[in-house]
Amino acid sequence: MNKNYLFTSESVSEGHPDKVCDIVSDYIVDDFLSQKNPENSRVALETLVTTNQVVVAGEVRGPEGYECNYEKLARDAVKSIGYEQENFHWEHFNFTPFVHSQSADIAMGVDSGEDKDQGAGDQGIMFGYACKETPSLMPAPIYYSHLILHDLAKARKDKTIFGIQPDSKSQVTLRYENEKPVECTEVVVSTQHDEGMSTDDVSDIVMPFIKNTLPEEWLKNTVYHINPTGNFVIGGPDGDSGLTGRKIIVDTYGGASPHGGGAFSGKDPTKVDRSAAYITRYIAKNIVAADLADKCTIQLAYAIGVARPLSFYINTHDTGKVDSETLIEKINSIVDLTPSGIRDHLKLHKPIYKASAAYGHFGREPGDDGSFSWEKTDLVDQLKNL
């Protein structure tokens, strides 16, 4: 096994067209979960954006009498990002909804009854991952890629920098020795900017965010690529179309772990694409936080309408202090891995999802509102006894 290598991950900002769609979709999910009896809400929505157009489509089920104002939520979401451009403005874009009721066939398989537990909302495989490369137990390339853009966007919104627009991308390449990151060899940041700004102008704004984010000792020989095309005035949905669920690797581990293929945004927590991906991260993070492994990959598999997982896999990549069978037995004794058990354990029936739609669903701080509950390490004491 090669233990010395280069590895790269990328991130995109909240103003990237695909992320605009994720955010709009999760604004709608949160609105459904803000109503009474949120455990009965069902949402599966995609958003599409292009020049001055926002389209929302999918299937939903809400409480009796509830009428979702999709257009207002879409405009609120786009306003929160900061789009006030001629060809994409939160007040002026054309909005088209194509939303219908949830399929009765799906509801029959998912809903609980007197003689059955609530089943999974679809078949699928979900992966979770954790490692000791960063304090948040995330892979370093994706962690730093997110952080650069997150801090850049915060400064834009706080008006401590000027001339930078919402659409941006980053990419961080790290050199590993003995499977540990030791140097940043390349950084790419492309950000939309005002007309008339030179590449040097943009670089003067962006470089401090890179250097304040990455460890100083990693940057001695780094090559920087700031707006390598030379101009990035036309951006956002006017520069490229966007669609919910197209940045699933950005949302997870930057390619450092396998991915089951399912997207998260626009889905209520009965969808195991979302809830099971959260519980696998939670389990993997707690195993690593308990010092039972330096890195850990988890996989769960589900069938639509079936409550119990079809398989449960743990791989500690030859760093584990306890065998996988013992870990699986212990986790099964303290966490109910049925869809309803996951939602209850992590308290997922809350309007907590729009915060997760940009800058990664993992490696974030748990919030007082219940957001990012899957990042808690509250199983550590129970696992340390193994």
Side-chain angles (χ1 to χ4, degrees):
M1 181 179 176
N2 181 16
K3 295 186 177 183
N4 303 322
Y5 51 87
L6 299 177
F7 195 84
T8 304
S9 294
E10 70 160 347
S11 180
V12 299
S13 72
E14 62 206 72
H16 184 281
D18 294 332
K19 279 290 141 198
V20 173
C21 295
D22 287 342
I23 292 168
V24 169
S25 295
D26 275 340
Y27 260 67
I28 294 168
V29 170
D30 279 358
D31 198 66
F32 272 80
L33 296 178
S34 297
Q35 309 306 313
K36 62 181 180 180
N37 301 321
E39 67 278 2
N40 295 326
S41 287
R42 302 288 183 268
V43 185
L45 286 176
E46 280 75 43
T47 302
L48 179 147
V49 296
T50 186
T51 303
N52 271 334
Q53 302 285 337
V54 175
V55 179
V56 171
E59 58 169 35
V60 300
R61 186 177 79 198
E64 185 176 352
Y66 164 65
E67 292 187 10
C68 183
N69 191 335
Y70 299 103
E71 181 172 351
K72 180 182 184 303
L73 292 167
R75 294 193 188 280
D76 287 348
V78 174
K79 183 179 181 181
S80 76
I81 298 166
Y83 271 114
E84 296 185 344
Q85 300 171 6
E86 180 180 358
N87 291 323
F88 196 73
H89 193 296
W90 67 270
E91 281 188 301
H92 307 312
F93 62 71
N94 297 313
F95 179 79
T96 310
F98 296 101
V99 183
H100 59 85
S101 298
Q102 183 190 45
S103 161
D105 290 347
I106 292 177
M108 180 176 63
V110 175
D111 291 348
S112 60
E114 291 183 3
D115 60 347
K116 70 182 288 288
D117 293 328
Q118 194 173 65
D122 200 353
Q123 72 175 52
I125 55 176
M126 298 82 203
F127 286 93
Y129 182 73
C131 63
K132 291 187 174 180
E133 293 180 16
T134 60
S136 64
L137 304 184
M138 285 288 288
I142 189 68
Y143 175 83
Y144 290 111
S145 294
H146 284 323
L147 197 54
I148 291 167
L149 297 187
H150 175 274
D151 291 352
L152 187 65
K154 185 177 186 302
R156 170 178 61 82
K157 291 179 171 182
D158 291 344
K159 300 189 183 303
T160 57
I161 59 171
F162 298 93
I164 299 300
Q165 294 294 324
D167 190 4
S168 58
K169 301 179 77 171
S170 64
Q171 191 167 280
V172 172
T173 301
L174 300 183
R175 182 170 65 85
Y176 285 71
E177 289 184 358
N178 293 319
E179 299 186 87
K180 297 183 184 300
V182 297
E183 181 184 24
C184 178
T185 61
E186 313 265 347
V187 176
V188 183
V189 176
S190 296
T191 184
Q192 187 185 14
H193 58 85
D194 290 351
E195 185 77 63
M197 294 179 68
S198 69
T199 302
D200 287 342
D201 294 333
V202 176
S203 182
D204 287 343
I205 295 171
V206 169
M207 283 299 295
F209 291 92
I210 298 172
K211 292 189 174 182
N212 290 337
T213 297
L214 284 145
E216 183 179 359
E217 63 271 20
W218 288 5
L219 298 175
K220 294 177 181 177
N221 301 300
T222 306
V223 178
Y224 301 96
H225 308 271
I226 310 300
N227 279 16
T229 63
N231 203 49
F232 189 1
V233 173
I234 301 171
D238 185 38
D240 194 7
S241 63
L243 186 66
T244 300
R246 284 205 301 207
K247 288 293 177 283
I248 58 176
I249 301 301
V250 170
D251 284 343
T252 54
Y253 308 101
S257 165
H259 196 296
F264 304 155
S265 291
K267 297 175 182 176
D268 74 83
T270 68
K271 313 304 190 283
V272 285
D273 276 339
R274 180 164 226 162
S275 55
Y278 291 166
I279 201 73
T280 54
R281 162 63 178 174
Y282 174 73
I283 296 167
K285 185 175 184 180
N286 275 272
I287 287 171
V288 174
D291 203 31
L292 297 179
D294 291 339
K295 63 173 70 174
C296 181
T297 299
I298 307 287
Q299 186 206 57
L300 291 172
Y302 292 86
I304 187 169
V306 178
R308 63 174 181 80
L310 308 187
S311 65
F312 182 6
Y313 163 85
I314 296 180
N315 183 354
T316 53
H317 306 275
D318 296 323
T319 69
K321 298 178 181 178
V322 179
D323 64 85
S324 295
E325 290 79 8
T326 300
L327 284 172
I328 289 172
E329 182 179 358
K330 181 64 174 180
I331 294 295
N332 275 324
S333 73
I334 57 179
V335 180
D336 179 357
L337 294 176
T338 65
S340 60
I342 293 169
R343 295 192 297 278
D344 290 344
H345 190 97
L346 296 179
K347 298 179 172 57
L348 297 180
H349 280 306
K350 294 182 177 182
I352 56 174
Y353 296 105
K354 61 189 177 186
S356 68
Y359 312 115
H361 290 248
F362 308 123
R364 312 283 290 275
E365 286 293 322
D368 293 337
D369 60 352
S371 58
F372 304 104
S373 59
W374 49 93
E375 291 297 314
K376 292 181 178 181
T377 52
D378 51 4
L379 300 184
V380 166
D381 288 343
Q382 296 177 75
L383 292 174
K384 278 186 173 179
N385 295 327
L386 288 176

